[in-house]
Amino acid sequence: MSNPSLLILAGDGIGPEVMAEVQKIITWYGDKRDLQFDVSEGLVGGASYDAHGTPLTDETMEAAQNVDAVLLGAVGGPKYDVLDFSVKPERGLLRLRKEMDLFSNLRPAQCFDALADFSSLKKDVVAGLDIMIVRELTSGIYFGEPRGIIEEGNERVGINTQRYTESEIARVARSAFELARKRGNKVCSMEKANVMESGILWRDVVTEIHEAEYSDVELSHMYADAGAMQLCRWPKQFDVIVTDNLFGDLLSDAAAMLTGSLGMLPSASLGAPMANGRPKALYEPVHGSAPDIAGEGKANPCACILSFAMALRYSFDQGTEADRLEAAVEKVLADGVRTADLLNDEGVTPASTSDMGNAVIAALDASL
Ligand code: NAD
């Protein structure tokens, strides 16, 4: 059987720096766990614009469609702010998400015990937190028509349309229920069925899918505004939260910050199953290209490393190895290794990007 394939698009700014640490980990899995990947590399974002005049070439797009998973670093930077909207670095990422039809965006919010003091919430509220927000990513108000700014009488009117089809809701609901079965077996669906028809349909379809296919999973419903409050009050009540594109954008950012640093947050975007049964998938850290620290060896590679752990779990059926990698990151943090973003104390010398990567490799070695 051929090895699973992985396309690496390191991108811009700190993207290549954090990805270099993931490459070491991929090599480790080949050497020490006999887990080989066919790794190819490509350009995305500003790096692709510099080389080809476009943030994503057709060849790279095609390569992304034909691998088992794509791992992306980050795109963007001030150098590209002057570019026309159509060739801005972010357009490369948006094209990947759109053409791969990655409708289910998984954003875990997990609080490692060693970092519980870093949250703006009390330690007992966040210590041990492990929730997953599933955000619908390809429809809803960011894409609905009509949209635009029109003249009406003597003033301008801004218009966006929230629109969901049953099938769009059903597929992201299934994705959330499937995930819940592999975790705490609980789904909370969030919408605004009290004031929005699209919310009423959302609640109906999630309930129908639950009754027909996933009655073994515990399902609850919550209005998204109440959900935002509950996320800050007692986030540990949740396991999987499924919600639409707009509410998911807000709720996942809020949940992310429960856990402390942007440098720790991975994500996955999944699409429909391919011929081999694996979902189309793109894994990336939540953070951007961090131009303020790019090239200085200060970036925390954990978000990118944990994104690779998600790839092991969701694309490569390597749940045990994903657990091993996550445990290695947890051990390194418990041992006190900290990049600058995880330090409040100016008197302590921070670990560099490669120090952190090497510490994770050492923890992986120790796990054998
Ligand atoms: P950012 O996430 O790049 O940085 C925000 C802050 O967090 C900065 O102070 C940065 O130094 C810090 N930070 C981020 N990641 C870190 C890490 N791994 N380790 C340590 N510190 C880290 O967001 P921004 O500054 O708003 O955007 C910078 C550029 O990135 C922009 O061009 C933006 O469009 C782009 N961006 C890209 C993505 C993506 O590729 N998915 C996401 C967000 C922003």
Side-chain angles (χ1 to χ4, degrees), residues 1-185:
M1 229 171 71
S2 60
N3 297 327
S5 54
L6 187 61
L7 173 64
I8 290 187
L9 303 174
D12 308 322
I14 62 168
E17 297 171 48
V18 294
M19 197 61 83
E21 303 311 308
V22 177
Q23 301 252 30
K24 289 182 193 168
I25 287 164
I26 293 171
T27 304
W28 185 89
Y29 272 103
D31 292 346
K32 303 286 175 72
R33 302 298 300 154
D34 200 22
L35 195 54
Q36 320 283 345
F37 296 92
D38 286 340
V39 179
S40 52
E41 292 184 57
L43 299 174
V44 69
S48 175
Y49 179 81
D50 288 341
H52 305 296
T54 170
L56 190 77
T57 62
D58 292 345
E59 292 72 29
T60 307
M61 186 65 243
E62 196 186 332
Q65 297 280 23
N66 289 310
V67 288
D68 293 316
V70 178
L71 189 60
L72 188 137
V75 296
K79 177 181 162 193
Y80 307 105
D81 285 350
V82 294
L83 291 182
D84 185 71
F85 186 68
S86 63
V87 288
K88 277 200 188 294
E90 292 74 11
R91 302 301 298 173
L93 180 53
L94 292 177
R95 182 175 175 200
L96 281 164
R97 287 178 182 160
K98 186 166 188 298
E99 293 194 19
M100 292 170 76
D101 199 14
L102 303 172
F103 58 84
S104 179
N105 181 220
L106 277 48
R107 294 265 304 256
Q110 195 177 3
C111 186
F112 293 101
D113 281 351
L115 298 181
D117 284 329
F118 240 77
S119 172
S120 50
L121 297 189
K122 287 192 192 115
K123 190 169 179 172
D124 69 315
V125 175
V126 292
L129 178 73
D130 181 8
I131 62 180
M132 177 76 82
I133 303 216
V134 178
R135 166 189 172 196
E136 199 289 326
L137 199 60
T138 51
S139 185
I141 199 161
Y142 292 161
F143 296 93
E145 297 283 346
R147 63 185 299 158
I149 300 174
I150 61 167
E151 297 285 336
E152 207 174 83
N154 57 359
E155 64 175 350
R156 289 170 300 160
V157 180
I159 300 172
N160 291 91
T161 304
Q162 167 85 331
R163 183 178 193 279
Y164 270 107
T165 64
E166 283 185 88
S167 53
E168 286 168 343
I169 301 168
R171 65 183 188 172
V172 75
R174 284 195 183 93
S175 155
F177 286 125
E178 291 290 339
L179 264 174
R181 277 185 177 158
K182 294 184 189 150
R183 298 171 40 96
N185 217 35

Side-chain angles (χ1 to χ4, degrees), residues 12 14 18 72-81 89-90 93 97 261-265 267 284-294 298-304 339-342 353:
D12 308 322
I14 62 168
V18 294
L72 188 137
V75 296
K79 177 181 162 193
Y80 307 105
D81 285 350
E90 292 74 11
L93 180 53
R97 287 178 182 160
S261 168
L262 209 48
M264 294 299 303
L265 295 167
S267 79
E284 56 178 325
V286 167
H287 63 72
S289 59
D292 53 336
I293 56 167
K298 288 182 181 167
N300 182 353
C302 288
C304 203
T339 41
D341 57 308
L342 304 178
T353 309

Side-chain angles (χ1 to χ4, degrees), residues 147-267:
R147 63 185 299 158
I149 300 174
I150 61 167
E151 297 285 336
E152 207 174 83
N154 57 359
E155 64 175 350
R156 289 170 300 160
V157 180
I159 300 172
N160 291 91
T161 304
Q162 167 85 331
R163 183 178 193 279
Y164 270 107
T165 64
E166 283 185 88
S167 53
E168 286 168 343
I169 301 168
R171 65 183 188 172
V172 75
R174 284 195 183 93
S175 155
F177 286 125
E178 291 290 339
L179 264 174
R181 277 185 177 158
K182 294 184 189 150
R183 298 171 40 96
N185 217 35
K186 280 200 310 190
V187 170
C188 180
S189 169
M190 294 189 186
E191 27 56 21
K192 291 277 288 174
N194 49 343
V195 287
M196 296 170 77
E197 283 75 9
S198 60
I200 295 174
L201 183 70
W202 183 281
R203 189 175 282 221
D204 284 352
V205 173
V206 171
T207 304
E208 286 158 19
I209 296 288
H210 175 249
E211 282 170 4
E213 300 170 38
Y214 298 96
S215 55
D216 55 303
V217 179
E218 189 183 320
L219 172 66
S220 59
H221 302 274
M222 209 177 264
Y223 297 137
D225 50 344
M229 228 153 49
Q230 291 299 331
L231 263 180
C232 300
R233 194 186 68 83
W234 192 243
K236 284 188 248 184
Q237 70 187 279
F238 298 112
D239 175 26
V240 174
I241 293 172
V242 62
T243 189
D244 73 14
N245 203 342
L246 173 63
F247 296 140
D249 198 359
L250 309 184
L251 293 170
S252 62
D253 269 17
M257 277 298 102
L258 299 174
T259 67
S261 168
L262 209 48
M264 294 299 303
L265 295 167
S267 79

